[in-house]
């Protein structure tokens, strides 16, 4: 029987840690004090009821409260130590930190240049110097720096780094432009493991591309050389756990060590010591990632069980491990890696056996167990994965099923190659080549299934998508497992029926029993076990209780029906999309197109058959230009550059090449100055008139372009001024229905509407204060009856100002919003409510900032918007057909 006694304690510890890590130290410590008082009351209750039936509930209350109190005390102490760092990060202060390296350096691709020119390293703080004060500090910080000195930084080294602190979602980041100063090398053990990891990279350097990337990934989790295309295929088929060094790798290594101990007939004490040492060594070798820590905690509980001579119980071990780890590091409660690891383990422990029993009659016990393992893991992890990527991997189970046999040999051979690499490189190369044979199979499986039709199906993201998939999964499991129970019940009934005597004989014996009972008189019970038996089996005249009404479904079927109905309710009430979203290429009748330019913005709004209004042009490269070429845009009636950051103006040359631009609106704040000078210079060289945007500027674009002549732009000056045109109104030039009507809603401080002479920069107030994002030009465009608002990269102040302005003007909800700053965590709830769009466009790509964040996505879904993202959809379009807004190119 499954031991679930530690499950409530683990859930309570998790919920407590999740809430506590979002608060300040003072309220958490106050909560800890209250919980300790409650714990005293629970202990008193347990003592008072220790010999009653209520003692079990009292014991659970004590355990749950004690775990919550331990997590609160640990969280409060650690939050207090982190407070100075959090305050400095809030102010984006420059600081010098002394810290210990706690991860391998991970290369990050620059979305503008395409080069892996920066690295991220997790560090644990010791002290921090800022604003002339040095204080002790603790807690995790992510340091991002250039390649020099970071790529080969040893795990466990103590470094001194100077940079600017900031918050990025749930992370505290220190950005530096210089190399770290190593003040202390790691200890002998960590130096040895670093040499092993580097030796493995050297030993596999000459192997095939897949082996060069996958063997270090499978062995020690080093994915620095993994081919991006292969990585994408593994993500599509849910095979990323192969290189994540999850608990599965841990189990493989420990199982091999335990098997060797059994083979040499080592005594129990020796097995415990050797297995424990192997677990500790493997954790050090692969670095203590959340999944490895979880596996190590469970393994430690299992080793203690071996030492005590008690069988290991997976769910109990998992609960104990979760509680211990959350007390040590409460922030694990917010780690996706930790969540996925625990979910996978729980799914394997609770679902594998029932699923295998259901499949056994069809394929045999061994095959049923092999199939049940990936099914159980996928069922447990898929809802969580939706939070990371709003899609469902269609071929995850068969891909994992086929890849599983190769994972064990690849892991064992890869770890052996790592161990011998520093002392015997040729042998390590041979072992790495052998491991590469198995990783080649895994790579082939990933590529084949990733190329199949429908390999990745879109799914609603956020908490709503998680709940929907969880409900559907639970319903499917209830139907499958419930049907097995029904069949077993039918088989038992059939066996009982077959063992009964014929009906005539049973009836005669029943009459004789009744006569004997009557002769005994009322009140005399029949002797225990009385009745006739045939073939060793007894029978009695059945006494029927209230029967189930005819046609009433069994309990399992009713439960499954309830779950499926709940899923439909979630779909209809919570997750219904306000617009139709279809797959396929961009249609010819597009109205608005979000170009996939990576981590940057490029929005195209149709103003004529071959003309458009373009808002931003993406990062350096030709992505925006190729997008316009594909759309057949030859004339840019209005080019709006919201601000001068490279991810918004870097692709200007490709957009200008071969196209006519009627007018360019630029931000008043020329920050960064060099980028602004270069941008305005390129516009001047192309003969494009440039105007500094000012709030209230308005006009129409494309009225003449509809009649086949070159695109036209009509400027109306301030909205509401004579001759001006506001969105939805009539333009001074009499724009045709195919044109676009636009207005500048906000353009930062100190703007001037004067045209900028060629060669001069568009300088304005605020360029020195780093306020380029809040100086973004915010444009509202009406095209084909659809109101579109592009928010640039507005931060808190800019979004709050815009929300106040729109509220004062009594602005009506819009149809489409280009979400601010690529979906960063800095989003105004009030602005989202004022705009209340039907569609929220998020333009982002590979980045180190965590864009788009769950907060941004959930915020706009919460106001009823369908969220469409270029990082998951690629280039997609909005179309208007029969007055109905729809999306195409993103299913």
């Amino acid at each position: 029987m499954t031991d679930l006694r530690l499950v409530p304690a683990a859930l309570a510890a998790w919920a407590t840690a999740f809430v506590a890590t979002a608060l300040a130290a003072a309220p958490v410590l106050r909560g800890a004090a209250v919980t300790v008082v409650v714990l005293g009351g629970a202990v008193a209750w347990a003592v008072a009821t220790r010999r009653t039936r209520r003692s079990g509930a009292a014991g659970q209350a004590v355990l749950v409260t004690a775990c919550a109190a331990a997590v609160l005390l640990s969280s409060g102490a650690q939050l207090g130590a982190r407070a100075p760092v959090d305050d400095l990060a809030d102010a984006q202060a420059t600081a010098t930190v002394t810290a210990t390296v706690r991860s391998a350096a991970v290369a990050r691709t620059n979305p503008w240049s395409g080069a892996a020119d920066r690295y991220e390293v997790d560090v644990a703080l010791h002290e921090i110097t800022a604003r002339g004060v040095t204080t002790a500090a603790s807690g995790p910080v992510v340091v991002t720096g250039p390649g020099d000195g970071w790529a080969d930084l040893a795990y466990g080294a103590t470094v001194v780094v100077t940079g600017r602190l900031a918050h990025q979602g749930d992370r505290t980041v220190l950005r530096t432009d210089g190399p770290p100063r190593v003040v202390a090398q790691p200890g002998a053990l960590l130096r040895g493991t670093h040499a092993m990891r580097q030796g493995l990279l050297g030993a596999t350097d000459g192997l095939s591309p897949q082996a060069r990337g996958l063997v270090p990934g499978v062995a020690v989790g080093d994915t620095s050389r993994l081919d991006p295309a292969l990585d994408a295929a593994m993500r599509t088929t849910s095979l990323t756990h192969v290189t994540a060094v999850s608990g599965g790798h841990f189990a493989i290594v420990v199982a091999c060590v335990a098997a060797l101990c059994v083979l040499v007939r080592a005594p129990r004490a020796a097995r415990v010591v050797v297995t424990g040492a192997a677990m500790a060594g493997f954790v050090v070798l692969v670095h203590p990632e959340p999944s490895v820590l979880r596996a190590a905690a469970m393994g430690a509980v299992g080793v203690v069980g071996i030492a005590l001579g008690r069988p290991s119980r997976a769910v109990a071990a998992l609960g104990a491990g979760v509680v211990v780890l959350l007390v040590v590091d409460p922030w694990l409660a917010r780690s996706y890696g930790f969540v996925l690891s625990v979910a996978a383990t729980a799914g394997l422990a609770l679902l594998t056996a029932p699923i295998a029993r259901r499949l056994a009659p069809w394929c045999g016990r061994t095959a049923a167990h092999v199939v049940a393992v990936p099914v159980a893991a996928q069922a447990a992890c898929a809802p969580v994965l939706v939070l990371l990527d709003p899609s469902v991997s269609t071929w995850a189970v068969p891909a994992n099923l086929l890849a599983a046999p190769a994972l064990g040999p690849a892991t064992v051979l890869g770890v052996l190659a790592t161990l011998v690499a520093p002392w015997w490189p040729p042998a390590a190369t041979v072992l790495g080549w052998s491991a590469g044979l198995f990783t080649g199979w895994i790579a082939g499986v990933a590529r084949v299934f990733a190329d199949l039709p429908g390999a990745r199906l879109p799914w609603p993201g956020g908490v709503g998508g998680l709940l929907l998939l969880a409900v559907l999964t639970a319903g499917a499991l209830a139907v499958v497992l419930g049907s097995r129970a029904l069949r077993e019940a039918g088989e038992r009934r059939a066996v009982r029926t077959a063992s009964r005597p014929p009906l005539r004989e049973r009836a005669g014996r029943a009459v004789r029993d009744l006569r004997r009972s009557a002769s005994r008189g009322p009140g005399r019970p029949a002797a225990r076990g009385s009745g006739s038996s045939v073939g060793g089996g007894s029978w009695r005249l059945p006494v029927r209780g209230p029967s189930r009404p005819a046609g009433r479904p069994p309990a399992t079927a009713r439960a499954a029906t309830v779950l499926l109905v709940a899923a439909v309710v979630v779909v209809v009430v919570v997750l219904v999309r306000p617009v139709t979203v279809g797959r396929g290429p961009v249609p010819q009748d597009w109205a608005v197109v979000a170009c996939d330019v990576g981590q940057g913005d490029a929005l195209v709004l149709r103003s004529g058959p071959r003309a458009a209004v373009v808002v931003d042009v993406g990062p350096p490269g030709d992505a925006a230009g190729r997008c316009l070429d594909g759309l057949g845009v030859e004339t840019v009636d209005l080019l709006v550059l919201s601000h001068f950051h490279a991810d918004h103006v870097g692709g200007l040359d490709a957009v200008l090449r071969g196209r006519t631009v009627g007018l360019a609106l630029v931000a008043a704040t020329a920050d960064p100055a060099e980028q602004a000078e270069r941008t305005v210079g390129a516009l001047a060289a192309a003969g494009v008139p440039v105007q500094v945007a000012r709030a209230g500027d308005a006009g129409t674009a494309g009225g003449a372009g509809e009649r086949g002549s070159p695109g036209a732009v009509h400027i109306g000056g301030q909205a509401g001024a004579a001759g001006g045109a506001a969105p939805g109104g009539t333009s001074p030039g009499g724009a045709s229905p195919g044109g676009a009507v636009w207005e500048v809603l906000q353009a930062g401080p100190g703007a001037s509407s004067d045209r900028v002479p060629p060669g001069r920069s568009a300088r304005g107030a605020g360029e020195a204060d780093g306020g380029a994002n809040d100086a973004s030009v915010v444009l509202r465009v009406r095209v084909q009856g659809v109101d579109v608002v592009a928010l640039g990269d507005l931060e808190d102040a800019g979004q709050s100002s815009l929300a106040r302005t729109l509220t004062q003007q009594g602005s009506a909800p819009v149809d489409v919003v280009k979400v601010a700053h690529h979906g960063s965590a800095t989003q105004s709830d009030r602005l989202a409510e004022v705009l209340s769009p039907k569609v929220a466009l998020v333009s982002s790509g590979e980045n180190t900032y965590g864009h788009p964040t769950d907060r941004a996505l959930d915020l706009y879904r919460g106001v009823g918007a369908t969220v469409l993202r270029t990082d998951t959809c690629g280039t997609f379009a909005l179309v208007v057909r029969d007055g109905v807004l729809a999306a195409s190119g993103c299913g």
Side-chain angles (χ1 to χ4, degrees), residues 14 35 51 159 173-174 222 279 312 372 391 396 435 461 464 466 509 535 550 595 636 685 702 731 749 754 827:
W14 202 316
T35 308
R51 298 191 178 185
V159 297
V173 177
L174 180 72
D222 189 330
M279 288 192 295
S312 175
S391 60
L466 180 150
R509 291 181 179 180
C595 295
V636 177
S731 69
D754 297 335
Q827 303 291 333

Side-chain angles (χ1 to χ4, degrees), residues 190-204:
L190 291 178
R191 287 200 305 272
T193 57
H194 182 68
M196 292 178 187
R197 293 172 65 98
Q198 294 300 114
L200 177 63
L201 293 178
T204 56

Side-chain angles (χ1 to χ4, degrees), residues 511-525:
V511 171
R512 289 194 294 271
D513 284 345
L514 288 175
R515 289 174 179 173
R516 283 196 296 269
S517 177
S519 66
R520 286 194 296 268
R524 293 184 60 189

Side-chain angles (χ1 to χ4, degrees), residues 68-136:
V71 171
L72 285 172
L73 289 170
S74 174
S75 302
Q78 295 186 52
L79 284 167
R82 287 174 57 132
V85 181
D86 289 337
D87 292 341
L88 292 170
D90 289 337
Q92 298 189 2
T94 299
T96 299
V97 303
T98 303
T100 299
V101 177
R102 290 301 183 209
S103 76
V106 178
R108 295 301 185 192
T109 301
N110 188 320
W112 301 330
S113 67
D117 53 4
R118 294 192 72 84
Y119 288 81
E120 280 190 2
V121 178
D122 295 337
V123 300
L125 295 183
H126 300 314
E127 67 177 24
I128 186 168
T129 301
R131 298 170 178 170
V133 178
T134 300
T135 58

Side-chain angles (χ1 to χ4, degrees), residues 96-99 150 158-162 179-183:
T96 299
V97 303
T98 303
W150 291 97
T158 302
V159 297
V160 176
V161 183
T162 300
R181 179 164 61 89
V182 179
V183 296

Side-chain angles (χ1 to χ4, degrees), residues 656-838:
L656 295 177
R657 191 178 305 122
R659 265 174 282 271
T660 301
V661 179
L663 175 68
L665 285 181
V666 298
T669 298
D671 183 14
E674 292 183 1
Q675 189 70 44
E677 295 278 4
R678 185 161 51 249
T679 300
V680 175
L683 292 170
V688 178
V690 180
Q691 177 177 321
V692 176
R694 183 175 59 181
D697 285 350
T700 61
E706 278 293 292
R707 293 184 290 272
S709 60
V713 178
H714 306 278
I715 305 296
Q718 290 290 106
T730 303
S731 69
S736 66
V741 185
W742 58 269
E743 178 190 2
V744 176
L745 298 179
Q746 185 169 290
S752 169
S753 63
D754 297 335
R755 291 180 183 268
V756 179
R760 297 276 303 277
S761 90
R763 296 182 182 273
E767 64 182 289
D769 62 5
N773 285 350
D774 272 335
S776 293
V777 177
V778 179
L779 192 74
R780 178 169 178 163
V781 183
R782 186 170 181 84
V783 55
Q784 297 186 19
V786 175
D787 284 320
V788 183
V789 172
L791 298 177
D793 274 1
L794 290 183
E795 302 284 356
D796 273 328
Q799 293 185 51
S800 298
S801 174
L802 180 60
R804 286 193 301 271
T805 300
L806 295 177
T807 301
Q808 292 168 2
Q809 294 176 352
S811 176
V814 301
D815 298 298
V816 181
V817 165
K818 198 290 297 180
V819 177
H821 205 175
H822 320 293
S824 73
T826 304
Q827 303 291 333
S828 166
D829 295 6
R830 178 58 183 156
L831 180 59
E833 292 172 0
V834 171
L835 294 172
S836 294
K838 296 177 182 177

Side-chain angles (χ1 to χ4, degrees), residues 420-431:
V420 305
W423 300 279
W424 197 2
T429 300
V430 173
L431 290 169

